[in-house]
């Protein structure tokens, strides 16, 4: 096994399941901290601020990290647009919540509801027909269409609720325009987080429970992958895939930081 | 040319364009009325009541018909579910406006927000994340998924706004379930309107401006078609289609009820 310099780690399904604690994941994070290996939680969440992700981990899962350990698709979208906009037009119309909005504002983007340079669509539990209409009219008038991530659903206590990808897909259907996606399984979010860590893709490991998002993101970014069978994906499903994860474990307790999988 | 016993006629783009009058369409309707040929306006609209469609034609377009001359996708959806439900469960969850809601209530359907037998999604300018969530949770729990129509957009003064099909597509994406569509280009709406008229498909003519909805609906229902180049479709676009309309005219003035096209 390689001596990985950085771990990129999914959250829901990997470190916890909603409010349910994963003690093996807590031990895994503490082992990384004990040896001083860099890590970031890389999540498709765009509704929360990094400080809220940190608070949730501390308050509900007894896991203690800093905001430097958190990279959301909201932050990744803002960083992506920051690079893309350069010295140019930084107007944006946003369908999304505070995690996305604040990340964009922090990069100097300002809202233009009628003639924005970019339209960014993410999860928004206050979405309305009017918000969709503004996004669609702008994209049809030439604004660049960005989707934070393509997740079809988000798991909640009530069941599988509409995900960011569903909102994006409404806009895609009504504009007949495909968006640029930033979140997993696209490589952008991983590339950005590795750039912040100063670690090359071949020296990092992406850890997650979902083949279709976490593992594919690693594959697309040229990052080795560790699939933990603690959430969405099952061994039967993954057996059907052409490209296999680099490693698989049934529990993060079975991942030895110096040796690899022990099962 | 056949002696058509009934005409099925699209509205927007064929009989008027928003608030713009089409004098040739008014003359066409009056010619049908003069010779006593049966006709119905067959529209994918589900937001208006038939009485409002009649009032709009009278007040804004000087065209005088009765509600018997109007068949909306709202009515067609209610008739379709009426037949499908039979003596069974008539609970429904509706994302839609009054035209759809009242049509369903008139057929004895009642709303169940949690465990409906059917989920019906149509255009709803008051749609919210919560409405989408209820629809998606129900379909994922086994409710049958009905879409009133697949139109990607509706033309408004502001531009091309999100159509019913866009709302349906969000639900499709989040449930990974394809809906049953009722409106044009599906044949159901034409079949129902012909059944009400007591006219066989081969004795009717579908008149419209949009190849992708009006003409395809006729083709799917085995009904001859007359494409009027007064709205969406252009001769250049239609030339690319494998199956051509039965007839085309540049104006409904050029359609002779006894002879056919005169151009």
């Amino acid at each position: 096994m390689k001596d990985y310099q950085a771990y990129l780690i999914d959250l829901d399904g990997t470190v916890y399941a909603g409010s349910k604690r994963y003690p093996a994941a807590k031990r895994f994070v503490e082992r990384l901290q004990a040896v001083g290996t860099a890590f970031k939680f890389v999540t498709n969440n765009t509704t929360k601020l990094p400080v809220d992700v940190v608070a949730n981990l501390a308050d509900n899962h007894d896991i203690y990290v800093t905001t430097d350990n958190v990279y959301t698709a909201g932050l990744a979208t803002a960083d992506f647009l920051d690079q893309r906009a350069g010295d140019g037009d930084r107007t944006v119309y946003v369908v999304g919540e505070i995690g996305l909005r604040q990340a964009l504002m922090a990069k100097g983007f300002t809202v233009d509801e009628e003639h924005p340079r970019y339209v960014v669509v993410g999860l928004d539990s206050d979405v309305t027909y009017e918000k969709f209409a503004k996004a669609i009219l702008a994209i049809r008038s030439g604004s660049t269409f960005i989707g934070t991530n393509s997740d079809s659903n988000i798991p909640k206590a009530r069941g599988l609720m509409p995900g960011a990808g569903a909102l994006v897909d409404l806009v895609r259907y009504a504009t007949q325009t495909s968006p640029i996606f930033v979140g997993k399984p696209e490589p952008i979010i991983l590339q950005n987080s590795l750039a912040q860590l100063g670690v090359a893709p071949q020296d990092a490991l992406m850890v997650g429970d979902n083949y279709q998002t976490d593992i594919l993101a690693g594959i697309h970014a040229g990052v080795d992958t560790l699939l933990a069978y603690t959430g969405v994906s099952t061994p039967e499903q993954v057996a059907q895939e052409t490209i296999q994860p680099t490693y698989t474990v049934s529990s993060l307790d079975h991942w030895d930081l110096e040796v690899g999988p022990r099962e």
Side-chain angles (χ1 to χ4, degrees), chain A:
Chain A
M1 191 199 79
K2 287 186 193 168
D3 183 17
Y4 293 107
Q5 293 176 31
Y7 283 65
L8 306 178
I9 311 167
D10 174 55
L11 282 172
D12 205 1
T14 303
V15 174
Y16 52 73
S19 60
K20 186 183 171 191
R21 292 185 179 195
Y22 280 7
K26 172 179 160 67
R27 289 188 286 269
F28 173 66
V29 172
E30 288 171 352
R31 285 190 283 135
L32 286 168
Q33 291 171 322
V35 296
T37 298
F39 67 94
K40 271 187 195 286
F41 294 116
V42 177
T43 167
N44 274 356
N45 186 299
T46 64
T47 60
K48 290 180 184 162
L49 297 170
V51 67
D52 296 324
V53 174
V54 168
N56 178 55
L57 284 166
D59 298 346
N60 298 318
H61 301 287
D62 205 28
I63 294 171
Y64 301 91
V65 299
T66 72
T67 53
D68 284 344
N69 296 116
V70 175
Y71 197 62
T72 69
L75 294 173
T77 299
D79 285 334
F80 172 74
L81 280 187
D82 180 42
Q83 290 173 16
R84 188 173 175 116
D87 295 331
D89 185 348
R90 291 199 170 225
T91 56
V92 65
Y93 181 69
V94 183
V95 177
E97 300 190 23
I98 188 171
L100 177 60
R101 289 178 180 280
Q102 188 155 317
L104 287 164
M105 300 312 116
K107 291 291 180 185
F109 287 89
T110 57
V111 170
D112 183 334
E113 298 203 341
E114 293 200 351
H115 303 289
R117 180 68 188 81
Y118 305 99
V119 170
V120 181
V121 181
L123 189 61
D124 183 349
S125 60
D126 288 321
V127 74
T128 60
Y129 185 84
E130 179 60 21
K131 287 187 186 180
F132 283 128
K134 285 199 173 94
I136 287 159
L137 291 170
I139 293 164
R140 282 190 166 275
S141 295
S143 303
T144 299
F145 178 20
I146 312 289
T148 59
N149 60 296
S150 58
D151 296 31
S152 58
N153 297 97
I154 47 168
K156 294 282 182 181
R158 288 170 69 189
L160 288 173
M161 302 281 280
L167 277 64
V168 172
D169 203 58
L170 185 155
V171 177
R172 181 199 61 76
Y173 190 90
T175 58
Q176 303 291 305
T177 301
S178 295
I180 300 167
F181 281 117
V182 174
K184 300 175 286 183
E186 299 304 315
I188 297 172
I189 188 168
L190 268 59
Q191 290 162 345
N192 283 0
S193 57
L194 289 173
Q196 290 184 0
L197 290 166
V199 171
Q202 61 271 25
D203 293 324
L205 185 67
M206 174 72 213
V207 183
D209 70 296
N210 187 333
Y211 183 91
Q212 300 300 334
T213 53
D214 305 316
I215 303 307
L216 282 182
I219 291 167
H220 295 154
V223 173
D224 281 357
T225 55
L226 168 60
L227 178 53
Y229 287 120
T230 55
V232 167
S233 295
T234 65
E236 294 70 29
Q237 290 165 347
V238 173
Q240 309 296 318
E241 302 294 344
T242 305
I243 304 178
Q244 290 292 304
T246 316
Y247 313 100
T248 64
V249 288
S250 60
S251 161
L252 288 175
D253 275 340
H254 298 165
W255 179 259
D256 188 315
L257 295 182
E258 296 183 357
V259 177
R262 294 179 302 188
E263 58 185 19

